[in-house]
Amino acid sequence: PGFPLKEIASCQYLTAMNPKSGTFTVLDRLLWHYTMFACSMPDENDLNLIYGPIMRGHWGKWSKNSRDMSDLITAATIKLHKMITKQFLPTAIKFHYQWNMREMFNIFQGLCRSVQREHDQATELVRLWRHECDRTFRDRMTT
């Protein structure tokens, strides 16, 4: 009365590993099933190419002030993310300071939810941007 053997065919494995937490080794008998890819954080120019057109497209038909703010807010977000990444490094106590593109995505996602009738002036867009940055980064910060 053992367990009956089952054959699994046409199966694909897809996994992800966090290089900064958990175990850092994979058993050899599992490793041969995988092809490994390592993706690093894009540089500032690449991030501008990713997020710049998104914001220009969203604010493109708004007032001239809004269109002009899109590139400034994109650059400011990328620089802020870079500063926070360098200043708030993960430690044993603050292990959740793992910064990646998810934070930037959350900021730009919030900005893309803006509507023209409420945020068509530059000051309103800066206030919204500050709110999205504050919400995104402060959620991860601890004292």
Side-chain angles (χ1 to χ4, degrees):
F3 294 103
L5 293 177
K6 293 185 178 181
E7 183 177 331
I8 299 174
S10 299
C11 181
Q12 295 181 349
Y13 295 96
L14 177 66
T15 60
M17 291 179 63
N18 183 352
K20 297 181 180 180
S21 66
T23 182
F24 301 113
T25 59
V26 179
L27 298 174
D28 287 338
R29 66 182 181 175
L30 291 177
L31 192 58
W32 75 275
H33 290 286
Y34 298 94
T35 301
M36 296 183 112
F37 296 98
C39 300
S40 59
M41 183 73 174
D43 65 3
E44 289 185 38
N45 292 332
D46 293 334
L47 291 170
N48 271 315
L49 288 174
I50 294 169
Y51 292 112
I54 293 171
M55 296 316 302
R56 283 192 299 274
H58 181 66
W59 291 336
K61 294 184 179 177
W62 293 17
S63 69
K64 184 176 181 334
N65 286 338
S66 301
R67 289 192 305 267
D68 294 342
M69 290 301 294
S70 65
D71 289 332
L72 296 173
I73 286 179
T74 302
T77 305
I78 293 167
K79 287 180 182 173
L80 177 65
H81 185 274
K82 189 175 182 178
M83 287 172 41
I84 287 176
T85 302
K86 287 184 178 182
Q87 187 169 357
F88 295 97
L89 299 172
T91 63
I93 295 171
K94 297 179 180 178
F95 56 89
H96 54 279
Y97 284 0
Q98 305 282 334
W99 309 108
N100 55 38
M101 283 181 60
R102 184 180 308 132
E103 289 81 27
M104 274 192 284
F105 170 78
N106 290 338
I107 293 168
F108 287 111
Q109 183 181 41
L111 292 173
C112 284
R113 290 182 176 155
S114 60
V115 291
Q116 184 175 5
R117 71 181 186 287
E118 295 175 7
H119 302 101
D120 201 25
Q121 298 301 316
T123 55
E124 294 165 351
L125 289 174
V126 171
R127 284 186 191 138
L128 176 64
W129 173 76
R130 185 198 174 279
H131 167 77
E132 292 299 328
C133 292
D134 190 48
R135 179 188 61 83
T136 300
F137 291 117
R138 190 177 293 213
D139 286 350
R140 302 278 296 278
M141 303 283 181
T142 59
T143 57

